[in-house]
Amino acid sequence: MLNEGKARDQLEDILDDSEYQAYQQDPGFFSELWNKALEAIAKAIEAIFPAVEPTARASSIILIGIIACLIIALVVIVIVLVSRKVKRRKLNERKPLQSMNELEWSYKRHMKEAESLAASGNHSQATRHMFLALLLYFHEKEWLKAMVWKTNWDYYDELRKINKEWADRFYKLAIVFDQVAYGEREVDAAEYASFRDEALELIKDKAHES
């Protein structure tokens, strides 16, 4: 009993100690930050809806919603950045021109080959030749230098120095071409038509500017 009473007295001394009291009164950094955020939200609600009296529960729900949205946005940004990095790595590893023979063709010949393949139902190969037509059109205009050893990222980088808008449009087509050329994607008639129209529009626009 004596030990129990002594222990109780010691506990009371600790609870009465000024340092312990100060610790209890200090809510901590995150708790204080949370309370300030709730207060800011409550003031915002009052400013927007003067007739509404904000409650602590409503402010908490709104703050949690804001935090959830920020987390989701951060996750989406990370996914987009990782995806772009992966695509860039692929563009930096793979070469669109597989042989000197393809390089020796004119862009018009590649366009005719693309239309012939599309007419026979081979839309994936048609997409490939349509992209090569665009690449060699830029080559003929000397906006980039087509070489067998170069990658699409090399071409994108060269084209970006001439015109960033052209480079960005080329980049989008290059991603589709890359997926088609390496068997990661099959193209149907509608997809080929969209790809062809974008490539031809780019060629037509640039022809008018040259």
Side-chain angles (χ1 to χ4, degrees):
M1 292 295 292
L2 180 61
N3 290 337
E4 183 180 343
K6 186 176 181 180
R8 185 170 58 251
D9 292 340
Q10 289 177 342
L11 180 59
E12 289 177 354
D13 290 340
I14 292 172
L15 294 176
D16 290 336
D17 185 81
S18 59
E19 291 183 1
Y20 181 82
Q21 293 293 335
Y23 174 79
Q24 287 290 90
Q25 293 172 3
D26 184 6
F29 174 75
F30 291 106
S31 179
E32 184 177 356
L33 189 62
W34 179 267
N35 291 332
K36 287 183 178 180
L38 291 178
E39 184 180 345
I41 290 172
K43 289 181 179 178
I45 293 174
E46 288 180 339
I48 298 172
F49 306 104
V52 177
E53 183 177 349
T55 64
R57 179 179 175 79
S59 298
S60 297
I61 292 173
I62 293 173
L63 182 56
I64 292 171
I66 292 172
I67 293 172
C69 290
L70 289 175
I71 292 173
I72 292 172
L74 182 61
V75 170
V76 170
I77 290 171
V78 170
I79 291 173
V80 170
L81 291 177
V82 170
S83 177
R84 290 186 64 180
K85 186 175 181 180
V86 170
K87 289 176 181 178
R88 174 177 172 174
R89 179 176 58 79
K90 287 182 178 179
L91 288 180
N92 206 25
E93 291 175 351
R94 297 171 176 176
K95 305 170 182 62
L97 291 166
Q98 300 298 315
S99 67
M100 287 297 298
N101 183 51
E102 291 179 336
L103 180 58
E104 290 169 357
W105 283 20
S106 68
Y107 81 91
K108 291 182 179 179
R109 184 175 176 184
H110 276 290
M111 288 172 63
K112 289 180 180 178
E113 183 69 12
E115 290 302 297
S116 175
L117 287 165
S120 65
N122 193 342
H123 298 101
S124 293
Q125 282 300 313
T127 299
R128 185 173 183 278
H129 278 279
M130 185 57 67
F131 179 79
L132 293 179
L134 176 63
L135 175 64
L136 292 176
Y137 174 79
F138 285 149
H139 170 77
E140 289 187 17
K141 294 299 180 182
E142 298 184 350
W143 294 328
L144 54 76
K145 184 69 174 176
M147 303 291 288
V148 173
W149 54 266
K150 284 186 178 181
T151 67
N152 276 330
W153 186 259
D154 293 323
Y155 298 132
Y156 168 75
D157 197 42
E158 290 178 41
L159 198 54
R160 186 172 53 179
K161 296 174 183 177
I162 303 296
N163 187 298
K164 189 177 184 302
E165 181 190 349
W166 303 353
D168 290 341
R169 294 171 70 180
F170 173 87
Y171 179 85
K172 292 177 181 178
L173 294 175
I175 291 173
V176 177
F177 165 85
D178 185 78
Q179 294 170 342
V180 170
Y182 288 89
E184 299 171 10
R185 178 176 176 179
E186 288 292 327
V187 174
D188 59 24
E191 289 175 313
Y192 168 71
S194 177
F195 186 94
R196 178 200 61 203
D197 291 346
E198 176 65 22
L200 291 179
E201 182 181 343
L202 196 54
I203 290 173
K204 181 177 66 175
D205 289 348
K206 303 294 101 41
H208 289 165
E209 293 177 16
S210 60

